Amino acid sequence: MFKSVLVANRGEIACRVFRTARRMGIRTIAVYSEADAKALHVREADEAVLIGPAAARESYLDAGKVLAAAKATGAEAIHPGYGFLSENADFAEAVMAAGIIWIGAPPAAIRAMGLKDAAKTLMIAAGVPVTPGYMGEDQSPDRLKAEADVIGYPVLIKAVAGGGGKGMRRVDAADAFLDALASCQREAASSFGDDRVLIEKYILSPRHIEVQVFGDAHGEVVHLFERDCSLQRRHQKVIEEAPAPGMDDATRAAVTAAAVKAAKAVNYVGAGTIEFIADGTEGLRADRIWFMEMNTRLQVEHPVTEAITGVDLVEWQFRAAAGEPVPLKQADIAMTGWAMEARLYAEDPANGFLPSIGKLEHFVLPEPSPLRGEGWVGVEAPLLVEVRETPAESPRPTRSSLPPPHPPTPSPSRGRGASLRIDTGVEEGGEVSQFYDPMIAKLIVHADTREEAAEDLADACASVEVWPVRTNAGFLVRCLEHPRFVAGDVDTGFIGAEEASLAAARPSTKTTAAALATVGLRADEALRANELSPWTDGLFAFRMNGEPHTPVVLYRNGERVEGLLSGDYRGGVPRHSTFDVHLEGEAYQAIGTPAYVFVDGEQVSGADTGDGRVVVFEEGDAFEFSPRLRGGSGSGPASDGSLRAPMPGKIVATPVKAGETVTRGQPVVVLEAMKMEHALVAPFDGVVGEVAFAVGDQVAADAVLATVEGSD
């Protein structure tokens, strides 16, 4: 076994690989960009090397710099993680040519499976079923459209070199094809340096089924069962689970056999995933599942496979790269229980899922602790946390950042002894950068049944507290608790069909009461200390004698909230303040100390912004209340028709020009940021007054990109 490994990646996957390496006594080496100088993965490594500026193309994607870092530190092996250089055959060859062990797929297999059209041709020859479509060399728009017309709509345009949900567009009608093609090709060229595409028949009730395979240099290939990754948004996975709901033994045998056959066709070595698309209109059937593509690397969702099999896939990767055989025979690989993973993204579901960047001033996840062991062999704490059942009458013991803070504790579970693992590459005080993928953590549950896994994962997501960066934690809770998901009635169109009910959330009356009580608490503290503060300046003043009844007005997203506080005050600075909060015909009792706020006996967690605003966390969502109406920033269209950049980025398209008539929802400017395209659309019917930037221009957050003048 090699004695040192450099991880050519960042964030949670780098931290994940380091933990297994450390357990095996292998020295760890990190690489980092200027933007990641203080990142968690840099501190977790035994040694770290700066390799360039923030932009990935000048750092993590620069193969020469990564290889130079490996040579300078004496790294004996390189693990590429996923993304970046993980499926770059040229880089793999350069690593091996330098005498360094490559912990990944053979370059020939990467090339064979890297181009979707060539991979499908290879699979057809190997006897693996594939979806109907066009994979020809003629890439002219007219030919591609003609082929789509023959296949029949809806069709899916996919980048030949694509992956990670990028470079994919669904087209429902012929007249929308050319615009979708142009957008897909732009994204493909930007993400992969290759704008070629293929056309596939779009399955109307598609399920994304994938099989984890593993091969060694001695010709052995095994599978570690399947995962269901159907819960997706814009072709990016959100929640994954293993096994697949509704998968019977006969269908499982057929799909896993096809996966092993596919891996053997390219002499595969290491961890890989064979992805299939299934027509779920009549349940999962072997004759309705087709090969889609192969990912020649470790997958983001690999922990759910580790959970149900008890295998550490990173350790297996290390051993295969060192020339060892697959540690277990197929007959010895068993599946136990049910696992689910939720991807925590820095994005704002209430604002069109736009990525959210900035400092993680408040970042609380369930606290890691040792697991029960079985089902997680080889993966050590602090990746993991055991979730234990807590009596229903006990308040959730999550952390409040109201000073002085108390330490976080494990979130209670509604299940029965399920285990929760957390993989993350960020921490409180860190930054979510505009330059990289917005995924900041993964929460993985292993339980006895699917019902228990969904319940416990929902509870874990509900305990997430992040501010001022926005996350999709509350959205994940609503997905996991949706009746269709609970019933296993999920396909890749689930989120699109249910998005209206899943994306936006409103605070409960109790949460709003907690915000009002927090304002009262802070004002009471300031008045007792005879100090002015944002909590008292211009808001209200308590009467320091008698029984005060004080109206308090707050705003949330422009909506006025008014409540009445009454309380019992004693002389001097008390150990606690007690309020009655009257709101919407309901009365709540609130008790506050410098560290805690309780409403009707339940502890409420929040973040103190220090400027008169109050943030209260509820079921994974963060609700901000302000004493005065605040103007929006970086949220897309303003009421005056201004389209503002939600974050720094590059203009990649301007579909309309000044003076052109547009309808509500029509794209006006397309911005590329955080590896994704974001269309800024007309907020109402009207005429484009100005397009302030040209294609290729870099823009700052909140810059006015264009204006639309109302038709009336």
Side-chain angles (χ1 to χ4, degrees):
M1 180 61 64
F2 45 85
K3 293 182 172 56
S4 60
V5 60
L6 180 146
V7 178
N9 218 295
R10 64 180 300 279
E12 61 89 14
I13 184 57
C15 295
R16 161 71 186 92
V17 175
F18 290 158
R19 283 176 168 85
T20 291
R22 188 161 51 242
R23 178 177 57 79
M24 297 177 67
I26 299 171
R27 183 169 67 94
T28 57
I29 303 160
V31 292
Y32 65 96
S33 70
E34 292 174 353
D36 280 340
K38 298 180 180 179
L40 183 61
H41 80 276
V42 175
R43 294 206 314 279
E44 284 207 351
D46 295 318
E47 187 174 355
V49 180
L50 174 65
I51 56 171
R57 290 189 180 278
E58 300 178 61
S59 52
Y60 297 107
L61 284 170
D62 191 322
K65 290 179 179 178
V66 174
L67 198 54
K71 293 176 181 177
T73 56
E76 295 181 34
I78 289 181
H79 191 300
Y82 43 70
F84 293 139
L85 296 168
S86 62
E87 295 179 282
N88 186 312
D90 292 339
F91 177 62
E93 287 177 338
V95 169
M96 292 186 290
I100 299 172
I101 296 172
W102 168 248
I103 307 175
I110 295 174
R111 288 196 174 94
M113 291 299 199
L115 298 178
K116 290 180 170 58
D117 53 351
K120 288 196 171 186
T121 301
L122 182 62
M123 291 300 100
I124 292 171
V128 178
V130 302
T131 49
Y134 172 73
M135 301 174 287
E137 292 295 324
D138 187 347
Q139 292 283 299
S140 66
D142 290 343
R143 176 62 185 276
L144 292 170
K145 183 178 182 302
E147 293 291 343
D149 293 343
V150 171
I151 295 169
Y153 297 93
V155 298
L156 191 64
I157 307 173
K158 297 175 66 173
V160 165
K166 298 177 180 64
M168 299 176 66
R169 298 292 186 276
R170 173 181 169 174
V171 186
D172 293 312
D175 58 2
F177 182 85
L178 293 178
D179 286 344
L181 173 64
S183 176
C184 183
Q185 289 175 324
R186 279 196 309 269
E187 189 169 273
S190 172
S191 298
F192 315 112
D194 186 344
D195 67 357
R196 290 178 299 157
V197 301
L198 59 84
I199 312 296
E200 285 182 350
K201 177 65 179 174
Y202 187 87
I203 309 302
L204 290 175
S205 184
R207 287 181 61 180
H208 184 120
I209 306 295
E210 59 187 37
V211 177
Q212 178 72 58
V213 294
F214 200 95
D216 61 27
H218 309 285
E220 183 72 16
V221 176
V222 298
H223 71 80
L224 292 93
F225 305 104
E226 83 280 356
R227 300 185 286 255
D228 190 319
C229 306
S230 298
L231 207 73
Q232 302 179 6
R233 185 183 165 275
R234 295 181 181 174
H235 308 296
Q236 287 202 315
K237 301 166 187 174
V238 176
I239 294 174
E240 303 100 346
E241 58 184 308
M247 178 75 77
D248 60 35
D249 291 340
T251 305
R252 176 174 293 116
V255 72
T256 53
V260 170
K261 185 185 295 184
K264 286 185 174 180
V266 292
N267 300 313
Y268 199 76
V269 176
T273 298
I274 310 295
E275 300 195 346
F276 297 88
I277 188 167
D279 182 349
T281 53
E282 299 179 18
L284 292 177
R285 291 171 33 183
D287 62 347
R288 297 289 185 89
I289 301 177
W290 302 282
F291 171 86
M292 188 164 54
E293 62 183 329
M294 181 179 191
N295 284 308
T296 53
R297 53 171 169 79
L298 197 65
Q299 290 277 84
V300 175
E301 58 272 22
H302 75 275
V304 296
T305 294
E306 293 182 325
I308 64 167
T309 62
V311 165
D312 181 341
L313 285 169
V314 173
E315 178 181 344
W316 277 30
Q317 286 185 300
F318 286 173
R319 296 194 180 282
E324 298 181 18
V326 175
L328 294 175
K329 298 295 184 183
Q330 188 66 69
D332 298 324
I333 302 173
M335 179 171 58
T336 303
W338 210 286
M340 286 186 185
E341 172 181 293
R343 301 189 187 191
L344 186 66
Y345 285 109
E347 63 185 12
D348 188 357
N351 192 21
F353 291 88
L354 286 174
S356 182
I357 61 176
K359 186 176 181 180
L360 294 163
E361 296 178 6
H362 183 94
F363 184 73
V364 177
L365 301 177
E367 178 72 5
S369 65
L371 281 170
R372 53 184 176 178
E374 187 176 353
W376 301 82
V377 175
V379 185
E380 61 164 355
L383 278 177
L384 313 171
V385 53
E386 186 171 3
V387 180
R388 303 181 185 276
E389 187 153 33
T390 299
E393 63 271 14
S394 300
R396 175 180 293 153
T398 52
R399 188 177 82 177
S400 166
S401 67
L402 298 174
H406 60 282
T409 55
S411 130
S413 168
R414 291 170 287 180
R416 288 162 287 280
S419 298
L420 171 66
R421 161 177 166 177
I422 298 174
D423 288 11
T424 185
V426 297
E427 59 186 343
E428 190 163 277
E431 294 272 349
V432 176
S433 167
Q434 61 171 306
F435 297 101
Y436 312 116
D437 190 273
M439 189 180 74
I440 55 177
K442 301 183 306 194
L443 288 76
I444 310 101
V445 159
H446 184 212
D448 293 333
T449 67
R450 185 176 188 271
E451 180 183 18
E452 292 173 21
E455 288 180 350
D456 288 304
L457 186 54
D459 193 70
C461 292
S463 72
V464 170
E465 300 176 11
V466 183
W467 184 262
V469 171
R470 303 284 187 170
T471 76
N472 66 333
F475 169 78
L476 293 170
V477 174
R478 291 184 287 278
C479 286
L480 290 160
E481 294 182 342
H482 194 283
R484 278 187 58 190
F485 181 85
V486 172
D489 177 21
V490 175
D491 59 30
T492 58
F494 168 79
I495 288 179
E498 308 291 342
E499 190 166 320
S501 63
L502 297 172
R506 292 180 59 84
S508 66
T509 306
K510 181 175 286 190
T511 291
T512 303
L516 294 167
T518 302
V519 170
L521 170 66
R522 290 292 168 259
D524 188 37
E525 290 172 347
L527 289 167
R528 288 177 184 278
N530 197 26
E531 296 175 349
L532 291 177
S533 78
W535 306 100
T536 58
D537 183 19
L539 294 179
F540 55 85
F542 282 104
R543 287 164 37 209
M544 296 304 291
N545 58 339
E547 181 74 12
H549 297 274
T550 307
V552 181
V553 175
L554 296 175
Y555 293 89
R556 193 189 73 82
N557 292 341
E559 178 183 356
R560 179 184 172 98
V561 178
E562 184 170 357
L564 187 69
L565 298 184
S566 60
D568 178 24
Y569 306 100
R570 303 176 179 87
V573 179
R575 293 182 60 83
H576 68 270
S577 300
T578 302
F579 301 97
D580 289 324
V581 184
H582 303 271
L583 178 68
E584 297 181 6
E586 299 289 335
Y588 302 89
Q589 184 183 65
I591 300 175
T593 74
Y596 304 91
V597 175
F598 289 86
V599 177
D600 284 356
E602 181 180 350
Q603 183 186 338
V604 179
S605 187
D608 191 341
T609 67
D611 61 357
R613 289 179 293 158
V614 175
V615 177
V616 181
F617 299 105
E618 179 184 21
E619 296 296 303
D621 289 302
F623 298 104
E624 177 191 310
F625 297 84
S626 173
R628 49 188 62 85
L629 190 60
R630 303 170 65 87
S633 175
S635 59
S639 59
D640 62 356
S642 299
L643 302 180
R644 296 179 178 272
M647 68 198 74
K650 182 175 72 173
I651 304 298
V652 295
T654 53
V656 297
K657 296 179 175 60
E660 290 189 23
T661 300
V662 291
T663 57
R664 184 177 184 273
Q666 181 176 343
V668 177
V669 178
V670 181
L671 178 74
E672 182 185 71
M674 297 188 81
K675 301 166 64 177
M676 296 290 287
E677 285 192 2
H678 310 280
L680 282 77
V681 303
F684 38 68
D685 296 348
V687 176
V688 178
E690 178 188 17
V691 178
F693 295 92
V695 172
D697 287 350
Q698 293 285 338
V699 298
D702 210 33
V704 177
L705 307 182
T707 59
V708 177
E709 300 170 359
S711 57
D712 57 354

